[in-house]
């Protein structure tokens, strides 16, 4: 081993030791990504909240697999940075605060024009994190959470499903994936978790209702994912440790993107109205 390599190893080991001491563990993440090729070729997909975290990973995965994608968010600089990361040939930014439901029709038109045709699938991902909990919840927090994490999603979905009705050919499905949370599977005492129960219920209800129109609706319930919503996980850098689930590591946004890909592709056509939990075992009884 060269001297340079030896010292690099020492530095890495020291960094791991410091991180382990500071954050209480140091996990290695072992995952693999099935090679799906261009499984989404020809799909035109709208991902709300695609400028960071889970939405960004989903947008990136979809483009890799052949789709054209519009990502949304409130901050145009963040959106542009995400487009630069994903690649501007197949990913298009659309600045839009999802809670502004009056803009839905206009924004769907804009999205279709960016994608060059009708939308084939929607991922309802945009969301904000809780800042107040039981005992301290006020109406401002209630409205902030409900307007983005539920109202925006509901009216967008309703408008798009109405547009789709009668337009879908018998050899095609259109798809919707709603991002819920592990919080939608355990008792809820504050708006963020209550909303995630609503999202799960909506997914089941729409799954049943829309399938006859050839629209398949499913959901994903992530556990603790390494995004800005879990600031501690970003501060920990390469240390993936958490004591918040049985696998003792945070989940990566890319792992959620894999599930979204499966559900949106024809591989998932027999799954209807389900919310798939990806939480490292947190919700197990
Ligand atoms: N991270 C977790 O542990 C976790 C666990 C369970 C579920 N989830 C859910 O996963 C989804 C994505 O969260 P994340 O963890 O990836 O967080 P994130 O990195 O903060 O991403 C949130 C995304 O939503 C966008 N957004 C927020 N408010 C919006 C609004 N009013 N209109 C349009 N876009 C908006 C953000 O962009 P702008 O800020 O620019 O608007 C950003 O692109 C959320 O629904 C969240 O509840 C996350």
């Amino acid at each position: 081993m060269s001297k340079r390599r030896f010292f690099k190893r020492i530095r890495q080991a020291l960094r791991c030791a410091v991180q382990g001491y500071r954050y209480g563990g140091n996990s290695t993440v072992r995952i693999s990504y099935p090679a799906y090729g261009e499984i989404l070729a020809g799909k035109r997909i709208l991902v709300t909240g695609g400028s960071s975290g889970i939405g960004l990973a989903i947008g990136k995965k979809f483009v890799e697999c052949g789709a054209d994608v519009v990502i949304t968010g409130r901050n145009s600089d963040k959106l542009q940075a995400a487009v630069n990361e994903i690649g501007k040939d197949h990913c298009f930014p659309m600045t839009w605060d999802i809670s502004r439901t009056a803009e839905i029709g206009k924004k769907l038109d804009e999205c279709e024009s960016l994608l060059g045709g009708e939308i084939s699938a929607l991922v309802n991902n945009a969301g904000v994190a809780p800042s107040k909990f039981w005992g301290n919840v006020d109406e401002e927090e209630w409205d902030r959470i409900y307007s983005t994490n539920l109202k925006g999603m509901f009216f967008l979905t309703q408008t798009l499903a109405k547009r789709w009705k009668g337009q879908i050919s018998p050899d095609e499905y259109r798809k919707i994936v709603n991002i819920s949370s592990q919080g939608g599977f355990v008792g809820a005492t504050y708006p963020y978790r209550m909303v995630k129960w609503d999202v799960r219920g909506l997914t089941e209800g729409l799954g049943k209702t829309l399938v006859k129109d050839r629209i398949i609706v499913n959901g994903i319930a992530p556990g603790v994912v390494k995004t800005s919503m879990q600031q501690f996980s970003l501060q920990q850098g390469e240390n993936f440790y958490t004591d918040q689930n049985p696998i003792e590591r945070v989940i990566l946004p890319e792992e959620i993107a894999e599930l979204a890909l499966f559900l949106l592709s024809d591989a998932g056509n027999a799954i209807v109205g389900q919310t798939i939990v990806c939480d490292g075992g947190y919700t197990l009884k």
Side-chain angles (χ1 to χ4, degrees), residues 257-274:
E258 286 297 318
L259 276 178
L261 171 65
F262 184 84
L263 290 172
L264 274 204
S265 76
D266 288 332
N269 283 353
I271 302 172
V272 176
Q274 302 299 316

Side-chain angles (χ1 to χ4, degrees), residues 57-78:
I58 288 176
K60 199 188 258 183
K61 189 77 202 176
F62 288 0
V63 167
E64 268 169 39
C65 291
D68 286 309
V69 173
V70 163
I71 54 172
T72 76
R74 292 162 299 178
N75 181 314
S76 54
D77 292 341
K78 256 171 77 180

Side-chain angles (χ1 to χ4, degrees), residues 191-250:
Y192 180 85
R193 285 203 157 173
M194 291 156 68
V195 152
K196 294 302 185 181
W197 276 82
D198 286 339
V199 171
R200 186 181 152 202
L202 180 66
T203 300
E204 195 172 316
L206 291 182
K208 225 170 169 176
T209 306
L210 297 182
V211 72
K212 62 179 180 320
D213 298 327
R214 302 194 67 78
I215 302 170
I216 295 182
V217 185
N218 283 296
I220 299 173
V224 177
V225 184
K226 193 175 175 64
T227 73
S228 58
M229 243 183 221
Q230 305 285 353
Q231 275 302 323
F232 83 91
S233 70
L234 298 185
Q235 283 153 14
Q236 283 182 204
E238 288 164 22
N239 185 338
F240 301 97
Y241 177 78
T242 178
D243 60 3
Q244 295 184 51
N245 62 35
I247 54 168
E248 297 191 323
R249 73 160 172 86
V250 291

Side-chain angles (χ1 to χ4, degrees), residues 46-265:
L46 170 58
V47 180
T48 68
S51 58
S52 63
I54 294 171
L56 172 60
I58 288 176
K60 199 188 258 183
K61 189 77 202 176
F62 288 0
V63 167
E64 268 169 39
C65 291
D68 286 309
V69 173
V70 163
I71 54 172
T72 76
R74 292 162 299 178
N75 181 314
S76 54
D77 292 341
K78 256 171 77 180
L79 274 171
Q80 197 48 57
V83 169
N84 293 345
E85 191 176 330
I86 296 173
K88 62 180 176 11
D89 290 345
H90 297 284
C91 179
F92 312 98
M94 194 167 79
T95 312
W96 177 27
D97 181 337
I98 192 95
S99 66
R100 297 199 183 162
T101 51
E103 295 173 14
I104 289 173
K106 192 180 82 184
K107 289 294 177 184
L108 283 177
D109 292 343
E110 190 182 326
C111 181
E112 285 180 349
S113 112
L114 287 166
L115 291 170
E118 272 187 23
I119 297 166
S120 359
L122 163 68
V123 180
N124 279 313
N125 166 76
V128 284
S131 65
K132 299 209 167 119
F133 301 90
W134 172 250
N136 291 309
V137 174
D138 52 26
E139 286 193 35
E140 196 185 327
E141 169 76 354
W142 179 285
D143 292 340
R144 189 181 69 84
I145 296 284
Y146 270 85
S147 62
T148 294
N149 298 15
L150 190 63
K151 187 180 84 172
M153 164 190 289
F154 178 87
F155 285 105
L156 171 59
T157 304
Q158 181 174 258
T159 308
L160 187 61
K162 269 165 119 174
R163 280 191 182 203
W164 279 347
K165 204 170 160 64
Q167 307 292 319
I168 306 173
S169 64
D171 62 348
E172 180 199 6
Y173 285 112
R174 304 272 169 101
K175 298 269 181 105
I176 298 173
V177 169
N178 297 327
I179 304 299
S180 174
S181 163
Q182 63 182 16
F185 285 77
V186 295
T189 53
Y190 53 93
Y192 180 85
R193 285 203 157 173
M194 291 156 68
V195 152
K196 294 302 185 181
W197 276 82
D198 286 339
V199 171
R200 186 181 152 202
L202 180 66
T203 300
E204 195 172 316
L206 291 182
K208 225 170 169 176
T209 306
L210 297 182
V211 72
K212 62 179 180 320
D213 298 327
R214 302 194 67 78
I215 302 170
I216 295 182
V217 185
N218 283 296
I220 299 173
V224 177
V225 184
K226 193 175 175 64
T227 73
S228 58
M229 243 183 221
Q230 305 285 353
Q231 275 302 323
F232 83 91
S233 70
L234 298 185
Q235 283 153 14
Q236 283 182 204
E238 288 164 22
N239 185 338
F240 301 97
Y241 177 78
T242 178
D243 60 3
Q244 295 184 51
N245 62 35
I247 54 168
E248 297 191 323
R249 73 160 172 86
V250 291
I251 291 149
L252 301 184
E254 290 76 11
E255 293 177 278
I256 306 300
E258 286 297 318
L259 276 178
L261 171 65
F262 184 84
L263 290 172
L264 274 204
S265 76

